[in-house]
Amino acid sequence: ARFAERPAVQTRRHALTYRELDQLALRCACALLARRGDREEPIAVLLGNEAPTIAAFLGVLQAGKMYGPIDPTLRPGRASW
């Protein structure tokens, strides 16, 4: 809690404090657990240059799952697994 209000991630469109990043990641983790359950499984995450991508990575890990980053520049058939 000591650094909760300090900047954690800053991009062109987003600026998140550590608290905001943690809250966003927790929302992601809760949504994943509600939809997919608590079994271990890979979760595809579309790569991006913005703060929500980092929150998504953290949320997947908080949910006890692993993430597979998907490059958005791939052809649609290559990115679907």
Side-chain angles (χ1 to χ4, degrees), residues 1 16 18 21-22 24 27-28 38-39 53 67 73-76:
L16 298 176
Y18 282 98
L21 181 61
D22 184 54
L24 192 55
R27 284 181 33 210
C28 180
D38 62 354
R39 68 182 187 278
T53 302
Y67 65 85
T73 63
L74 292 176
R75 294 188 321 264

Side-chain angles (χ1 to χ4, degrees), residues 8-61:
V9 179
Q10 186 163 354
T11 64
R12 290 182 187 158
R13 293 190 294 183
H14 299 95
L16 298 176
T17 64
Y18 282 98
R19 182 186 317 276
E20 292 167 332
L21 181 61
D22 184 54
Q23 290 171 344
L24 192 55
L26 183 60
R27 284 181 33 210
C28 180
C30 289
L32 270 174
L33 290 169
R35 291 184 181 158
R36 304 293 302 173
D38 62 354
R39 68 182 187 278
E40 290 183 14
E41 65 181 324
I43 302 294
V45 177
L46 190 65
L47 289 174
N49 294 331
E50 296 298 329
T53 302
I54 294 173
F57 290 149
L58 293 173
V60 169
L61 296 174

